[in-house]
Amino acid sequence: MKQKLITRFSKYISYPTMANGESETYPSTQEQLVFGDVLVEELKLLGLKEVEKDQFGYVTATLPANTEEKLPVIGFIAHFDTAPDMPGISAPRIVENYDGNDIILDKETNTILSTADFPELKNYVGQTLLTTDGKTLLGADDKAGIAEIICALEYLIQHPEVKHGTIKVAFTPDEEIGKGVLYFDTAKFGCDFAYTVDGGMLGELEYENFNAAGATITIQGRNVHPGYAKNKMINSQLIAMEFNALLPDFQRPQYTEGYEGFYLLTKMEGTVENSKLSYIIRDHDKHLFEQKKEFMHKITAFLNEKYGIDRVKCEIKEQYKNMREMVEPVFYIVERAEKAMIAAGVAPIVKPIRGGTDGANLSFKGLPCPNIFAGGHNFHGKYEFISVESMEKAVEVIVNIAKA
């Protein structure tokens, strides 16, 4: 299983599938459609049924039940786009029998995956790690999930003595830009419940996530020759800096944990004449989430009163909601995953996601969908890594969930 996972994962990350939040197409990049075709071909070769890629790029397939027992139809879902933060690597660096020391990712830039910065590395001594080259992200989010699901399907096909009901799988684009299941047809998918395999470290099991929104702040300045600017120039960049300074420092990601929400400035650009700020807003608590959005509007109103009406504009778009309210009424699906982990020798770590998954939006589309671990760490950046042994455990957990 170990070599199969490495081979599949290495193949998948060799395809560039970075999402593009500025694109107006769906999916946002052509490369994702190309990779979807690769998955379709592989699923057909495995012998799955009803394999298709629809007009939106969703890849779906069915593993028929091998028992007459009446069992729920269970889905497993992962996304094949990678974060737009940086390009992906073409092949992972493989660190066999990790010795517990720092890993030099790139000597030229002295980029080091260090145990001081990432003490969780010590949990993987003796295991096989897959890392980046120090210049890219790895793509374990979420091509590790895809590799694990497909390896689990292959195991079930090769071991007919393991009885299971109908299993459905789906691989989706554009999760990283909040549009992963925008057009996903849950009725057609036809599951009683599902799991996204999109979590982090070994044992993670999540049925709560952030409420999420994106905010765009646009600022109109007034540019005149600096030699004659007195009482005339309005520097939009300075107003942008003022806007950001009015947000509470302690509600930035680097100062929050657990259920604490945050504002994150993700992008800024500007000149004297025009500036633009892009934020994401996150909170598990619905009331606090609404307060955060309202506070951004209050800052906008304050700056417009100070510098002139319509000088600053704030547009906030909803992204996803906390799936807890949709999963709690069917909590047995969380308990099923807990039992599957325990049977695999994995201690469940039930905690809120400090992020979101396709499962959040799917849950509000009528498909309850908790999230289970894929095994990776430090997603979206050059310090990303994953343990192959954690990936093996993810396969075992998926098989256990599927068992009759």
Side-chain angles (χ1 to χ4, degrees), residues 51-265:
V51 180
E52 68 172 352
K53 185 186 80 173
D54 70 12
Q55 61 179 316
F56 302 112
Y58 298 122
V59 175
T60 53
T62 301
L63 178 63
N66 64 357
T67 176
E68 296 298 317
E69 186 179 353
K70 186 175 175 59
L71 296 169
V73 179
I74 303 175
F76 294 98
I77 300 166
H79 65 91
F80 51 72
D81 63 309
T82 56
D85 303 71
M86 61 172 55
I89 195 171
S90 58
R93 177 180 175 187
I94 302 174
V95 181
E96 298 276 6
N97 193 24
Y98 171 58
D99 61 9
N101 295 317
D102 292 353
I103 300 172
I104 299 174
L105 300 176
D106 181 40
K107 290 182 179 179
E108 185 179 336
T109 59
N110 196 34
T111 301
I112 299 172
L113 186 59
S114 74
T115 56
D117 293 331
F118 306 105
E120 63 272 19
L121 278 164
K122 293 288 188 180
N123 297 331
Y124 301 105
V125 172
Q127 298 188 22
T128 298
L129 302 184
L130 307 180
T131 77
T132 76
D133 59 2
K135 299 174 182 175
T136 64
L137 52 74
L138 180 63
D141 181 13
D142 188 27
K143 289 175 180 173
I146 296 173
E148 291 154 5
I149 291 170
I150 291 181
C151 281
L153 292 172
E154 185 177 45
Y155 179 89
L156 290 170
I157 290 168
Q158 293 176 350
H159 292 80
E161 72 277 9
V162 179
K163 301 304 178 185
H164 58 83
T166 299
I167 304 298
K168 303 267 189 173
V169 295
F171 302 126
T172 64
D174 283 347
E175 190 269 355
E176 296 292 2
I177 56 174
K179 299 179 180 179
V181 292
L182 192 62
Y183 302 105
F184 192 83
D185 189 338
T186 54
K188 181 181 177 183
F189 192 47
C191 289
D192 294 297
F193 52 88
Y195 300 88
T196 49
V197 185
D198 190 22
M201 64 181 288
L202 180 71
E204 281 190 3
L205 170 58
E206 300 136 332
Y207 66 95
E208 302 176 75
N209 60 276
F210 279 136
N211 294 290
T216 302
I217 313 300
T218 54
I219 303 162
Q220 179 63 56
R222 183 193 296 148
N223 192 12
V224 296
H225 190 290
Y228 306 92
K230 187 171 183 179
N231 300 324
K232 296 177 182 177
M233 177 184 283
I234 300 175
N235 192 328
S236 74
Q237 298 167 112
L238 296 179
I239 298 176
M241 293 165 65
E242 188 173 352
F243 187 103
N244 191 66
L246 287 168
L247 291 169
D249 287 0
F250 62 89
Q251 290 187 34
R252 294 175 180 169
Q254 61 267 43
Y255 305 125
T256 61
E257 62 183 352
Y259 284 95
E260 297 170 333
F262 59 76
Y263 303 91
L264 171 61
L265 176 62

Side-chain angles (χ1 to χ4, degrees), residues 158-391:
Q158 293 176 350
H159 292 80
E161 72 277 9
V162 179
K163 301 304 178 185
H164 58 83
T166 299
I167 304 298
K168 303 267 189 173
V169 295
F171 302 126
T172 64
D174 283 347
E175 190 269 355
E176 296 292 2
I177 56 174
K179 299 179 180 179
V181 292
L182 192 62
Y183 302 105
F184 192 83
D185 189 338
T186 54
K188 181 181 177 183
F189 192 47
C191 289
D192 294 297
F193 52 88
Y195 300 88
T196 49
V197 185
D198 190 22
M201 64 181 288
L202 180 71
E204 281 190 3
L205 170 58
E206 300 136 332
Y207 66 95
E208 302 176 75
N209 60 276
F210 279 136
N211 294 290
T216 302
I217 313 300
T218 54
I219 303 162
Q220 179 63 56
R222 183 193 296 148
N223 192 12
V224 296
H225 190 290
Y228 306 92
K230 187 171 183 179
N231 300 324
K232 296 177 182 177
M233 177 184 283
I234 300 175
N235 192 328
S236 74
Q237 298 167 112
L238 296 179
I239 298 176
M241 293 165 65
E242 188 173 352
F243 187 103
N244 191 66
L246 287 168
L247 291 169
D249 287 0
F250 62 89
Q251 290 187 34
R252 294 175 180 169
Q254 61 267 43
Y255 305 125
T256 61
E257 62 183 352
Y259 284 95
E260 297 170 333
F262 59 76
Y263 303 91
L264 171 61
L265 176 62
T266 59
K267 186 178 180 181
M268 58 189 299
E269 53 190 75
T271 62
V272 173
E273 183 73 14
N274 302 103
S275 289
K276 180 179 177 181
L277 302 173
S278 299
Y279 290 90
I280 59 172
I281 308 166
R282 301 289 188 263
D283 211 296
H284 286 94
D285 184 279
K286 187 185 297 184
H287 178 65
L288 294 177
F289 178 62
E290 294 300 324
Q291 284 186 343
K292 282 181 168 59
K293 292 189 292 182
E294 180 58 28
F295 189 58
M296 295 197 96
H297 286 305
K298 286 183 177 179
I299 293 174
T300 301
F302 168 75
L303 292 174
N304 279 328
E305 184 176 348
K306 183 175 181 179
Y307 294 107
I309 300 300
D310 292 334
R311 184 70 60 193
V312 182
K313 293 182 179 179
C314 174
E315 181 184 16
I316 297 178
K317 291 184 177 180
E318 303 290 332
Q319 294 173 326
Y320 50 82
K321 295 187 286 186
N322 189 344
M323 65 177 150
R324 176 175 178 169
E325 65 181 276
M326 306 305 293
V327 174
E328 279 191 327
V330 287
F331 198 72
Y332 65 87
I333 68 177
V334 177
E335 294 171 332
R336 186 183 185 112
E338 284 186 286
K339 291 175 183 177
M341 289 185 186
I342 292 169
V346 175
I349 305 170
V350 183
K351 65 176 187 177
I353 307 170
R354 288 189 56 79
T357 72
D358 280 338
N361 285 327
L362 287 170
S363 294
F364 283 92
K365 281 175 166 255
L367 179 62
C369 194
N371 187 50
I372 62 176
F373 71 93
H377 289 265
N378 306 332
F379 297 144
H380 297 192
K382 60 189 177 183
Y383 298 104
E384 186 181 4
F385 72 92
I386 191 167
S387 158
V388 180
E389 283 79 0
S390 292
M391 295 176 73

